[in-house]
Amino acid sequence: MSGANTFGRLFCVTTFGESHGPAIGCVIDGCPPGLAIAPEDFRTDLDRRATGRSRFTSQRREADEIEILSGVYQGRTTGTPIALLIRNTDARSKDYGDIAQSFRPGHADYTYWHKYGIRDPRGGGRSSARETTMRVAAGVIAKRWLAERHGIAVQGWMSGIGPYTPDTVDRAVVEDNPLFWPDAAQLPEIEAYLDGLRKSGDSVGARLSVVADHVPVGLGEPIYGKLDADIAAALMSINAVKSVEIGAGNAVAGLRGSENRDELSHEGFLSNHAGGILGGISSGQQIVAHAAIKPTSSILVPGQSLNSAGEAVEIVTKGRHDPCVGIRAVPIVEAMLALVLIDHVLRHRAQCGDVPAQTPQVPNSPAIPSP
Ligand code: EPS
C-alpha cells in the first residue's frame, strides 16, 4: 500500500520536498527499462510549467535544472528506481514573514496547521504548486514511453479563464502563446484583461482541457480502478483543482439518452460524449478530461482572517504570485493524464497481456464537447 505522497500502482511516483527547502525531487519505481532519457529531455515541459517565463505568472526565477541521480545508465532507464532532483535557488522566505502566524483565506495554511499542529509557512511549504514540478518531470518519462511504444500523444490547453471561453479550439496554436490558449483571435483581449487583474492585485480561476490520442481500447480496471475514476483522482490531486469532468462532464445532466449515447458505425463512434471511456474502460476514442482551477488565494486584495492565536486579522499577501495559477497547469494536467495512462497500460499488461504496440484511434472521434 503506497503512502499519500506516492501515485500509481505499477509506475509508482513518490514526490518530496517543499517550496523553500533545499530541493524538490521524486523517485519513480517501476519504469520499464531501456527508455532513452537525458536531463535535456525535461527542459521543454519544465519550462512550460515554470514561473518567471512570462509576465502572466509568478516572477520567482528558478532554473529548474534537473539532476538524474539514479535509474539511468548510459542514457537509458535500467528498471531500477529513477531519482530526480531539482534544487530550489530563488526562494524568498521573508515574503512570508508577515503571514507566518495567519491563515490566508482560501489557502491550505488553515487545514495544514489544524491537521499537523505545525506548518512550514515559507511559500506554502509542501502545499505549494512548486511540488508540481516533479509531477511534470515524471510525466516527461511517462509521455515518452507512451509515445514511443503505443503512439499515444497527450495534449492540454486552457479552455477557460475568468469570463473567457475559446470561440474555437485550434490545437495547433496552443504552444504559440504564453497562455496556452487555443483561439489566437481572443489573445489581445485576454492579455489586457490579465494585465488589469495584475494591477488590481487580484487573481482569477481557469479551466484546463486535456486529451490523449491513440489510446488503445481496454485500459481501466472496473470496479474500483476505473480509468475515469483514476483520471479524476489524478487531476483532483493537483493544487487548486476544484472540479474534474470527463467528456461531456456536467453537461450530461441536461442531455437525453438519445443525445448523449455515442452511436457506433462501421466508421467508428459517431460522437464522444463519453470522453473515450465506457464502463471505466477506454473505448479507443480520444480520452477527454477537463479540470477547473480556483483563483490563486495569495492576493494583494485585503481580506479578513484569523491568526493561530485565534485573533481577527486583515491579510494582504505580498510576494511573487500568479494572477492565474491555471496558466501554468497545462503541462501538469498532461503529466497526470500520462501517469494514469502508463500505469494502466502496465496494469492491463499484467492482467490481460500486452495491448498492441501502436494503436490507431477509433475513427470519427470526437468533437471536443463544448465547455
Ligand atoms: C506558490 C507561490 C509562489 C510561486 C510558487 C507557487 O511561491 P513563492 O512565493 O515562493 O515565489 O512562485 O510557484 C513556484 C515556485 C513553482 O515553481 O511553481 C504557491 O503558493 O503555490
Side-chain angles (χ1 to χ4, degrees), residues 253-292:
L255 295 179
R256 293 164 180 250
S258 54
E259 297 167 316
N260 179 64
R261 66 185 177 184
D262 300 313
E263 293 179 82
L264 293 125
S265 76
H266 288 127
E267 285 73 45
F269 290 90
L270 300 181
S271 56
N272 190 12
H273 295 100
I277 302 170
L278 293 167
I281 300 174
S282 61
S283 65
Q285 288 192 281
Q286 186 181 58
I287 304 281
V288 184
H290 313 276

PDB file of all heavy atoms in Angstrom, residues 253-292:
ATOM      1  N   ALA A 253     -25.949  16.011 -17.454  1.00  0.00           N
ATOM      2  CA  ALA A 253     -27.133  16.155 -16.597  1.00  0.00           C
ATOM      3  C   ALA A 253     -28.311  16.735 -17.370  1.00  0.00           C
ATOM      4  O   ALA A 253     -29.474  16.517 -16.998  1.00  0.00           O
ATOM      5  CB  ALA A 253     -26.803  17.038 -15.397  1.00  0.00           C
ATOM      6  N   GLY A 254     -28.028  17.447 -18.446  1.00  0.00           N
ATOM      7  CA  GLY A 254     -29.110  18.067 -19.201  1.00  0.00           C
ATOM      8  C   GLY A 254     -29.419  17.373 -20.516  1.00  0.00           C
ATOM      9  O   GLY A 254     -30.221  17.885 -21.314  1.00  0.00           O
ATOM     10  N   LEU A 255     -28.799  16.219 -20.774  1.00  0.00           N
ATOM     11  CA  LEU A 255     -28.986  15.559 -22.074  1.00  0.00           C
ATOM     12  C   LEU A 255     -29.990  14.414 -21.987  1.00  0.00           C
ATOM     13  O   LEU A 255     -30.153  13.795 -20.932  1.00  0.00           O
ATOM     14  CB  LEU A 255     -27.647  15.007 -22.580  1.00  0.00           C
ATOM     15  CG  LEU A 255     -26.553  16.015 -22.923  1.00  0.00           C
ATOM     16  CD1 LEU A 255     -25.286  15.278 -23.374  1.00  0.00           C
ATOM     17  CD2 LEU A 255     -27.013  16.985 -24.010  1.00  0.00           C
ATOM     18  N   ARG A 256     -30.613  14.127 -23.120  1.00  0.00           N
ATOM     19  CA  ARG A 256     -31.427  12.917 -23.247  1.00  0.00           C
ATOM     20  C   ARG A 256     -30.521  11.760 -23.650  1.00  0.00           C
ATOM     21  O   ARG A 256     -29.463  11.981 -24.266  1.00  0.00           O
ATOM     22  CB  ARG A 256     -32.480  13.090 -24.342  1.00  0.00           C
ATOM     23  CG  ARG A 256     -33.536  14.120 -24.002  1.00  0.00           C
ATOM     24  CD  ARG A 256     -34.295  14.502 -25.271  1.00  0.00           C
ATOM     25  NE  ARG A 256     -35.314  15.493 -24.952  1.00  0.00           N
ATOM     26  CZ  ARG A 256     -36.628  15.233 -24.974  1.00  0.00           C
ATOM     27  NH1 ARG A 256     -37.073  14.045 -25.323  1.00  0.00           N
ATOM     28  NH2 ARG A 256     -37.473  16.179 -24.655  1.00  0.00           N
ATOM     29  N   GLY A 257     -30.976  10.538 -23.361  1.00  0.00           N
ATOM     30  CA  GLY A 257     -30.188   9.360 -23.734  1.00  0.00           C
ATOM     31  C   GLY A 257     -29.895   9.318 -25.215  1.00  0.00           C
ATOM     32  O   GLY A 257     -28.800   8.932 -25.658  1.00  0.00           O
ATOM     33  N   SER A 258     -30.882   9.746 -26.011  1.00  0.00           N
ATOM     34  CA  SER A 258     -30.713   9.702 -27.465  1.00  0.00           C
ATOM     35  C   SER A 258     -29.689  10.724 -27.941  1.00  0.00           C
ATOM     36  O   SER A 258     -29.113  10.574 -29.017  1.00  0.00           O
ATOM     37  CB  SER A 258     -32.059   9.960 -28.146  1.00  0.00           C
ATOM     38  OG  SER A 258     -32.603  11.191 -27.651  1.00  0.00           O
ATOM     39  N   GLU A 259     -29.438  11.743 -27.109  1.00  0.00           N
ATOM     40  CA  GLU A 259     -28.415  12.736 -27.477  1.00  0.00           C
ATOM     41  C   GLU A 259     -27.049  12.331 -26.945  1.00  0.00           C
ATOM     42  O   GLU A 259     -26.029  12.538 -27.583  1.00  0.00           O
ATOM     43  CB  GLU A 259     -28.764  14.108 -26.859  1.00  0.00           C
ATOM     44  CG  GLU A 259     -30.050  14.714 -27.346  1.00  0.00           C
ATOM     45  CD  GLU A 259     -30.477  15.905 -26.468  1.00  0.00           C
ATOM     46  OE1 GLU A 259     -30.401  15.816 -25.219  1.00  0.00           O
ATOM     47  OE2 GLU A 259     -30.889  16.917 -27.052  1.00  0.00           O
ATOM     48  N   ASN A 260     -27.020  11.782 -25.747  1.00  0.00           N
ATOM     49  CA  ASN A 260     -25.746  11.536 -25.062  1.00  0.00           C
ATOM     50  C   ASN A 260     -25.019  10.292 -25.575  1.00  0.00           C
ATOM     51  O   ASN A 260     -23.791  10.271 -25.623  1.00  0.00           O
ATOM     52  CB  ASN A 260     -25.987  11.393 -23.553  1.00  0.00           C
ATOM     53  CG  ASN A 260     -24.694  11.107 -22.818  1.00  0.00           C
ATOM     54  OD1 ASN A 260     -23.799  11.939 -22.806  1.00  0.00           O
ATOM     55  ND2 ASN A 260     -24.571   9.915 -22.260  1.00  0.00           N
ATOM     56  N   ARG A 261     -25.765   9.239 -25.953  1.00  0.00           N
ATOM     57  CA  ARG A 261     -25.091   7.989 -26.352  1.00  0.00           C
ATOM     58  C   ARG A 261     -24.200   8.252 -27.557  1.00  0.00           C
ATOM     59  O   ARG A 261     -24.511   9.083 -28.409  1.00  0.00           O
ATOM     60  CB  ARG A 261     -26.124   6.913 -26.651  1.00  0.00           C
ATOM     61  CG  ARG A 261     -26.973   7.247 -27.856  1.00  0.00           C
ATOM     62  CD  ARG A 261     -28.065   6.235 -28.078  1.00  0.00           C
ATOM     63  NE  ARG A 261     -28.905   6.622 -29.212  1.00  0.00           N
ATOM     64  CZ  ARG A 261     -29.989   5.952 -29.594  1.00  0.00           C
ATOM     65  NH1 ARG A 261     -30.367   4.875 -28.936  1.00  0.00           N
ATOM     66  NH2 ARG A 261     -30.681   6.378 -30.626  1.00  0.00           N
ATOM     67  N   ASP A 262     -23.118   7.540 -27.609  1.00  0.00           N
ATOM     68  CA  ASP A 262     -22.201   7.656 -28.745  1.00  0.00           C
ATOM     69  C   ASP A 262     -22.477   6.466 -29.655  1.00  0.00           C
ATOM     70  O   ASP A 262     -22.064   5.331 -29.369  1.00  0.00           O
ATOM     71  CB  ASP A 262     -20.753   7.673 -28.244  1.00  0.00           C
ATOM     72  CG  ASP A 262     -20.489   8.838 -27.295  1.00  0.00           C
ATOM     73  OD1 ASP A 262     -20.890   9.979 -27.645  1.00  0.00           O
ATOM     74  OD2 ASP A 262     -19.915   8.627 -26.217  1.00  0.00           O
ATOM     75  N   GLU A 263     -23.228   6.726 -30.731  1.00  0.00           N
ATOM     76  CA  GLU A 263     -23.642   5.637 -31.605  1.00  0.00           C
ATOM     77  C   GLU A 263     -22.445   5.050 -32.343  1.00  0.00           C
ATOM     78  O   GLU A 263     -21.469   5.743 -32.624  1.00  0.00           O
ATOM     79  CB  GLU A 263     -24.708   6.132 -32.581  1.00  0.00           C
ATOM     80  CG  GLU A 263     -26.001   6.502 -31.860  1.00  0.00           C
ATOM     81  CD  GLU A 263     -27.066   7.030 -32.817  1.00  0.00           C
ATOM     82  OE1 GLU A 263     -27.749   6.204 -33.450  1.00  0.00           O
ATOM     83  OE2 GLU A 263     -27.180   8.258 -32.931  1.00  0.00           O
ATOM     84  N   LEU A 264     -22.580   3.767 -32.677  1.00  0.00           N
ATOM     85  CA  LEU A 264     -21.485   3.057 -33.350  1.00  0.00           C
ATOM     86  C   LEU A 264     -21.818   2.827 -34.813  1.00  0.00           C
ATOM     87  O   LEU A 264     -22.977   2.605 -35.170  1.00  0.00           O
ATOM     88  CB  LEU A 264     -21.258   1.700 -32.673  1.00  0.00           C
ATOM     89  CG  LEU A 264     -20.730   1.797 -31.248  1.00  0.00           C
ATOM     90  CD1 LEU A 264     -21.602   1.040 -30.281  1.00  0.00           C
ATOM     91  CD2 LEU A 264     -19.305   1.291 -31.188  1.00  0.00           C
ATOM     92  N   SER A 265     -20.797   2.874 -35.647  1.00  0.00           N
ATOM     93  CA  SER A 265     -20.979   2.579 -37.066  1.00  0.00           C
ATOM     94  C   SER A 265     -19.711   1.874 -37.553  1.00  0.00           C
ATOM     95  O   SER A 265     -18.729   1.778 -36.825  1.00  0.00           O
ATOM     96  CB  SER A 265     -21.184   3.880 -37.851  1.00  0.00           C
ATOM     97  OG  SER A 265     -19.939   4.539 -37.995  1.00  0.00           O
ATOM     98  N   HIS A 266     -19.736   1.425 -38.792  1.00  0.00           N
ATOM     99  CA  HIS A 266     -18.526   0.787 -39.335  1.00  0.00           C
ATOM    100  C   HIS A 266     -17.368   1.773 -39.402  1.00  0.00           C
ATOM    101  O   HIS A 266     -16.207   1.380 -39.409  1.00  0.00           O
ATOM    102  CB  HIS A 266     -18.808   0.203 -40.726  1.00  0.00           C
ATOM    103  CG  HIS A 266     -19.668  -1.022 -40.654  1.00  0.00           C
ATOM    104  ND1 HIS A 266     -20.823  -1.188 -41.371  1.00  0.00           N
ATOM    105  CD2 HIS A 266     -19.530  -2.140 -39.900  1.00  0.00           C
ATOM    106  CE1 HIS A 266     -21.367  -2.354 -41.073  1.00  0.00           C
ATOM    107  NE2 HIS A 266     -20.613  -2.951 -40.181  1.00  0.00           N
ATOM    108  N   GLU A 267     -17.692   3.043 -39.434  1.00  0.00           N
ATOM    109  CA  GLU A 267     -16.629   4.055 -39.491  1.00  0.00           C
ATOM    110  C   GLU A 267     -16.126   4.439 -38.094  1.00  0.00           C
ATOM    111  O   GLU A 267     -15.182   5.199 -37.965  1.00  0.00           O
ATOM    112  CB  GLU A 267     -17.114   5.335 -40.196  1.00  0.00           C
ATOM    113  CG  GLU A 267     -17.232   5.220 -41.706  1.00  0.00           C
ATOM    114  CD  GLU A 267     -18.431   4.375 -42.114  1.00  0.00           C
ATOM    115  OE1 GLU A 267     -19.515   4.572 -41.539  1.00  0.00           O
ATOM    116  OE2 GLU A 267     -18.260   3.487 -42.970  1.00  0.00           O
ATOM    117  N   GLY A 268     -16.769   3.928 -37.069  1.00  0.00           N
ATOM    118  CA  GLY A 268     -16.357   4.257 -35.706  1.00  0.00           C
ATOM    119  C   GLY A 268     -17.516   4.845 -34.931  1.00  0.00           C
ATOM    120  O   GLY A 268     -18.680   4.780 -35.352  1.00  0.00           O
ATOM    121  N   PHE A 269     -17.213   5.435 -33.781  1.00  0.00           N
ATOM    122  CA  PHE A 269     -18.249   6.100 -32.978  1.00  0.00           C
ATOM    123  C   PHE A 269     -18.663   7.387 -33.696  1.00  0.00           C
ATOM    124  O   PHE A 269     -17.850   8.023 -34.365  1.00  0.00           O
ATOM    125  CB  PHE A 269     -17.714   6.441 -31.597  1.00  0.00           C
ATOM    126  CG  PHE A 269     -17.481   5.253 -30.710  1.00  0.00           C
ATOM    127  CD1 PHE A 269     -16.259   4.591 -30.698  1.00  0.00           C
ATOM    128  CD2 PHE A 269     -18.489   4.790 -29.867  1.00  0.00           C
ATOM    129  CE1 PHE A 269     -16.041   3.500 -29.874  1.00  0.00           C
ATOM    130  CE2 PHE A 269     -18.279   3.701 -29.030  1.00  0.00           C
ATOM    131  CZ  PHE A 269     -17.052   3.050 -29.033  1.00  0.00           C
ATOM    132  N   LEU A 270     -19.915   7.776 -33.512  1.00  0.00           N
ATOM    133  CA  LEU A 270     -20.402   8.973 -34.211  1.00  0.00           C
ATOM    134  C   LEU A 270     -20.276  10.233 -33.358  1.00  0.00           C
ATOM    135  O   LEU A 270     -20.545  11.330 -33.824  1.00  0.00           O
ATOM    136  CB  LEU A 270     -21.865   8.766 -34.638  1.00  0.00           C
ATOM    137  CG  LEU A 270     -22.082   7.571 -35.583  1.00  0.00           C
ATOM    138  CD1 LEU A 270     -23.558   7.464 -35.983  1.00  0.00           C
ATOM    139  CD2 LEU A 270     -21.206   7.663 -36.826  1.00  0.00           C
ATOM    140  N   SER A 271     -19.898  10.087 -32.097  1.00  0.00           N
ATOM    141  CA  SER A 271     -19.677  11.242 -31.215  1.00  0.00           C
ATOM    142  C   SER A 271     -18.817  10.752 -30.047  1.00  0.00           C
ATOM    143  O   SER A 271     -18.458   9.564 -29.996  1.00  0.00           O
ATOM    144  CB  SER A 271     -21.016  11.798 -30.705  1.00  0.00           C
ATOM    145  OG  SER A 271     -21.755  10.772 -30.049  1.00  0.00           O
ATOM    146  N   ASN A 272     -18.491  11.648 -29.132  1.00  0.00           N
ATOM    147  CA  ASN A 272     -17.670  11.223 -27.982  1.00  0.00           C
ATOM    148  C   ASN A 272     -18.068  11.953 -26.711  1.00  0.00           C
ATOM    149  O   ASN A 272     -17.245  12.599 -26.070  1.00  0.00           O
ATOM    150  CB  ASN A 272     -16.181  11.417 -28.280  1.00  0.00           C
ATOM    151  CG  ASN A 272     -15.294  10.775 -27.212  1.00  0.00           C
ATOM    152  OD1 ASN A 272     -15.766  10.006 -26.375  1.00  0.00           O
ATOM    153  ND2 ASN A 272     -14.009  11.112 -27.228  1.00  0.00           N
ATOM    154  N   HIS A 273     -19.332  11.834 -26.345  1.00  0.00           N
ATOM    155  CA  HIS A 273     -19.744  12.417 -25.071  1.00  0.00           C
ATOM    156  C   HIS A 273     -19.105  11.687 -23.893  1.00  0.00           C
ATOM    157  O   HIS A 273     -18.945  12.249 -22.815  1.00  0.00           O
ATOM    158  CB  HIS A 273     -21.267  12.368 -24.936  1.00  0.00           C
ATOM    159  CG  HIS A 273     -21.963  13.217 -25.945  1.00  0.00           C
ATOM    160  ND1 HIS A 273     -22.530  12.707 -27.093  1.00  0.00           N
ATOM    161  CD2 HIS A 273     -22.153  14.552 -26.008  1.00  0.00           C
ATOM    162  CE1 HIS A 273     -23.040  13.684 -27.814  1.00  0.00           C
ATOM    163  NE2 HIS A 273     -22.831  14.826 -27.171  1.00  0.00           N
ATOM    164  N   ALA A 274     -18.763  10.423 -24.102  1.00  0.00           N
ATOM    165  CA  ALA A 274     -18.203   9.609 -23.011  1.00  0.00           C
ATOM    166  C   ALA A 274     -16.758   9.959 -22.717  1.00  0.00           C
ATOM    167  O   ALA A 274     -16.181   9.441 -21.756  1.00  0.00           O
ATOM    168  CB  ALA A 274     -18.318   8.131 -23.369  1.00  0.00           C
ATOM    169  N   GLY A 275     -16.141  10.790 -23.541  1.00  0.00           N
ATOM    170  CA  GLY A 275     -14.732  11.143 -23.312  1.00  0.00           C
ATOM    171  C   GLY A 275     -13.800   9.957 -23.476  1.00  0.00           C
ATOM    172  O   GLY A 275     -12.723   9.909 -22.870  1.00  0.00           O
ATOM    173  N   GLY A 276     -14.206   9.001 -24.319  1.00  0.00           N
ATOM    174  CA  GLY A 276     -13.305   7.883 -24.629  1.00  0.00           C
ATOM    175  C   GLY A 276     -13.267   6.795 -23.574  1.00  0.00           C
ATOM    176  O   GLY A 276     -12.363   5.956 -23.585  1.00  0.00           O
ATOM    177  N   ILE A 277     -14.263   6.789 -22.672  1.00  0.00           N
ATOM    178  CA  ILE A 277     -14.262   5.786 -21.593  1.00  0.00           C
ATOM    179  C   ILE A 277     -15.691   5.273 -21.398  1.00  0.00           C
ATOM    180  O   ILE A 277     -16.611   6.055 -21.157  1.00  0.00           O
ATOM    181  CB  ILE A 277     -13.721   6.385 -20.278  1.00  0.00           C
ATOM    182  CG1 ILE A 277     -12.291   6.930 -20.491  1.00  0.00           C
ATOM    183  CG2 ILE A 277     -13.726   5.322 -19.171  1.00  0.00           C
ATOM    184  CD1 ILE A 277     -11.745   7.741 -19.338  1.00  0.00           C
ATOM    185  N   LEU A 278     -15.876   3.966 -21.495  1.00  0.00           N
ATOM    186  CA  LEU A 278     -17.179   3.339 -21.284  1.00  0.00           C
ATOM    187  C   LEU A 278     -17.044   2.271 -20.208  1.00  0.00           C
ATOM    188  O   LEU A 278     -16.194   1.383 -20.334  1.00  0.00           O
ATOM    189  CB  LEU A 278     -17.667   2.686 -22.587  1.00  0.00           C
ATOM    190  CG  LEU A 278     -18.017   3.645 -23.740  1.00  0.00           C
ATOM    191  CD1 LEU A 278     -18.180   2.875 -25.055  1.00  0.00           C
ATOM    192  CD2 LEU A 278     -19.293   4.415 -23.430  1.00  0.00           C
ATOM    193  N   GLY A 279     -17.841   2.378 -19.156  1.00  0.00           N
ATOM    194  CA  GLY A 279     -17.760   1.398 -18.067  1.00  0.00           C
ATOM    195  C   GLY A 279     -16.421   1.413 -17.359  1.00  0.00           C
ATOM    196  O   GLY A 279     -15.997   0.405 -16.791  1.00  0.00           O
ATOM    197  N   GLY A 280     -15.733   2.543 -17.435  1.00  0.00           N
ATOM    198  CA  GLY A 280     -14.432   2.645 -16.760  1.00  0.00           C
ATOM    199  C   GLY A 280     -13.278   2.108 -17.601  1.00  0.00           C
ATOM    200  O   GLY A 280     -12.144   2.033 -17.120  1.00  0.00           O
ATOM    201  N   ILE A 281     -13.565   1.738 -18.869  1.00  0.00           N
ATOM    202  CA  ILE A 281     -12.543   1.145 -19.753  1.00  0.00           C
ATOM    203  C   ILE A 281     -12.432   2.014 -21.002  1.00  0.00           C
ATOM    204  O   ILE A 281     -13.450   2.435 -21.582  1.00  0.00           O
ATOM    205  CB  ILE A 281     -12.951  -0.296 -20.152  1.00  0.00           C
ATOM    206  CG1 ILE A 281     -13.093  -1.167 -18.895  1.00  0.00           C
ATOM    207  CG2 ILE A 281     -11.944  -0.906 -21.115  1.00  0.00           C
ATOM    208  CD1 ILE A 281     -13.642  -2.566 -19.174  1.00  0.00           C
ATOM    209  N   SER A 282     -11.198   2.264 -21.448  1.00  0.00           N
ATOM    210  CA  SER A 282     -11.015   3.092 -22.646  1.00  0.00           C
ATOM    211  C   SER A 282     -11.658   2.412 -23.849  1.00  0.00           C
ATOM    212  O   SER A 282     -11.624   1.189 -23.988  1.00  0.00           O
ATOM    213  CB  SER A 282      -9.525   3.336 -22.900  1.00  0.00           C
ATOM    214  OG  SER A 282      -8.854   2.112 -23.108  1.00  0.00           O
ATOM    215  N   SER A 283     -12.252   3.254 -24.723  1.00  0.00           N
ATOM    216  CA  SER A 283     -13.008   2.723 -25.864  1.00  0.00           C
ATOM    217  C   SER A 283     -12.210   2.755 -27.159  1.00  0.00           C
ATOM    218  O   SER A 283     -12.679   2.293 -28.184  1.00  0.00           O
ATOM    219  CB  SER A 283     -14.287   3.556 -26.047  1.00  0.00           C
ATOM    220  OG  SER A 283     -13.922   4.888 -26.418  1.00  0.00           O
ATOM    221  N   GLY A 284     -11.003   3.343 -27.114  1.00  0.00           N
ATOM    222  CA  GLY A 284     -10.229   3.513 -28.349  1.00  0.00           C
ATOM    223  C   GLY A 284     -10.447   4.873 -28.975  1.00  0.00           C
ATOM    224  O   GLY A 284      -9.770   5.234 -29.940  1.00  0.00           O
ATOM    225  N   GLN A 285     -11.393   5.623 -28.422  1.00  0.00           N
ATOM    226  CA  GLN A 285     -11.575   7.007 -28.855  1.00  0.00           C
ATOM    227  C   GLN A 285     -10.618   7.908 -28.093  1.00  0.00           C
ATOM    228  O   GLN A 285      -9.934   7.478 -27.155  1.00  0.00           O
ATOM    229  CB  GLN A 285     -13.001   7.459 -28.570  1.00  0.00           C
ATOM    230  CG  GLN A 285     -14.044   6.835 -29.486  1.00  0.00           C
ATOM    231  CD  GLN A 285     -15.370   7.541 -29.332  1.00  0.00           C
ATOM    232  OE1 GLN A 285     -16.094   7.287 -28.378  1.00  0.00           O
ATOM    233  NE2 GLN A 285     -15.688   8.420 -30.242  1.00  0.00           N
ATOM    234  N   GLN A 286     -10.630   9.172 -28.477  1.00  0.00           N
ATOM    235  CA  GLN A 286      -9.812  10.151 -27.754  1.00  0.00           C
ATOM    236  C   GLN A 286     -10.299  10.235 -26.299  1.00  0.00           C
ATOM    237  O   GLN A 286     -11.496  10.311 -26.036  1.00  0.00           O
ATOM    238  CB  GLN A 286      -9.977  11.504 -28.437  1.00  0.00           C
ATOM    239  CG  GLN A 286      -9.080  12.589 -27.908  1.00  0.00           C
ATOM    240  CD  GLN A 286      -9.338  13.892 -28.639  1.00  0.00           C
ATOM    241  OE1 GLN A 286     -10.460  14.404 -28.651  1.00  0.00           O
ATOM    242  NE2 GLN A 286      -8.308  14.429 -29.256  1.00  0.00           N
ATOM    243  N   ILE A 287      -9.350  10.221 -25.355  1.00  0.00           N
ATOM    244  CA  ILE A 287      -9.690  10.461 -23.943  1.00  0.00           C
ATOM    245  C   ILE A 287      -9.779  11.976 -23.753  1.00  0.00           C
ATOM    246  O   ILE A 287      -8.880  12.718 -24.169  1.00  0.00           O
ATOM    247  CB  ILE A 287      -8.589   9.910 -23.013  1.00  0.00           C
ATOM    248  CG1 ILE A 287      -8.322   8.425 -23.251  1.00  0.00           C
ATOM    249  CG2 ILE A 287      -8.910  10.221 -21.549  1.00  0.00           C
ATOM    250  CD1 ILE A 287      -9.292   7.479 -22.628  1.00  0.00           C
ATOM    251  N   VAL A 288     -10.866  12.422 -23.124  1.00  0.00           N
ATOM    252  CA  VAL A 288     -11.085  13.864 -22.963  1.00  0.00           C
ATOM    253  C   VAL A 288     -11.419  14.160 -21.499  1.00  0.00           C
ATOM    254  O   VAL A 288     -12.357  13.579 -20.943  1.00  0.00           O
ATOM    255  CB  VAL A 288     -12.273  14.343 -23.834  1.00  0.00           C
ATOM    256  CG1 VAL A 288     -12.432  15.860 -23.735  1.00  0.00           C
ATOM    257  CG2 VAL A 288     -12.113  13.912 -25.278  1.00  0.00           C
ATOM    258  N   ALA A 289     -10.650  15.046 -20.891  1.00  0.00           N
ATOM    259  CA  ALA A 289     -10.927  15.435 -19.498  1.00  0.00           C
ATOM    260  C   ALA A 289     -10.750  16.941 -19.344  1.00  0.00           C
ATOM    261  O   ALA A 289     -10.048  17.582 -20.136  1.00  0.00           O
ATOM    262  CB  ALA A 289      -9.994  14.692 -18.547  1.00  0.00           C
ATOM    263  N   HIS A 290     -11.389  17.473 -18.335  1.00  0.00           N
ATOM    264  CA  HIS A 290     -11.309  18.914 -18.046  1.00  0.00           C
ATOM    265  C   HIS A 290     -11.146  19.095 -16.539  1.00  0.00           C
ATOM    266  O   HIS A 290     -11.642  18.282 -15.758  1.00  0.00           O
ATOM    267  CB  HIS A 290     -12.591  19.641 -18.470  1.00  0.00           C
ATOM    268  CG  HIS A 290     -13.074  19.280 -19.832  1.00  0.00           C
ATOM    269  ND1 HIS A 290     -12.611  19.865 -20.975  1.00  0.00           N
ATOM    270  CD2 HIS A 290     -13.984  18.355 -20.225  1.00  0.00           C
ATOM    271  CE1 HIS A 290     -13.215  19.339 -22.024  1.00  0.00           C
ATOM    272  NE2 HIS A 290     -14.061  18.418 -21.595  1.00  0.00           N
ATOM    273  N   ALA A 291     -10.483  20.171 -16.159  1.00  0.00           N
ATOM    274  CA  ALA A 291     -10.338  20.484 -14.729  1.00  0.00           C
ATOM    275  C   ALA A 291     -10.533  21.979 -14.522  1.00  0.00           C
ATOM    276  O   ALA A 291     -10.048  22.788 -15.320  1.00  0.00           O
ATOM    277  CB  ALA A 291      -8.957  20.059 -14.229  1.00  0.00           C
ATOM    278  N   ALA A 292     -11.242  22.326 -13.463  1.00  0.00           N
ATOM    279  CA  ALA A 292     -11.407  23.746 -13.106  1.00  0.00           C
ATOM    280  C   ALA A 292     -10.506  24.050 -11.913  1.00  0.00           C
ATOM    281  O   ALA A 292     -10.459  23.287 -10.934  1.00  0.00           O
ATOM    282  CB  ALA A 292     -12.855  24.045 -12.760  1.00  0.00           C
TER     283      ALA A 292
END
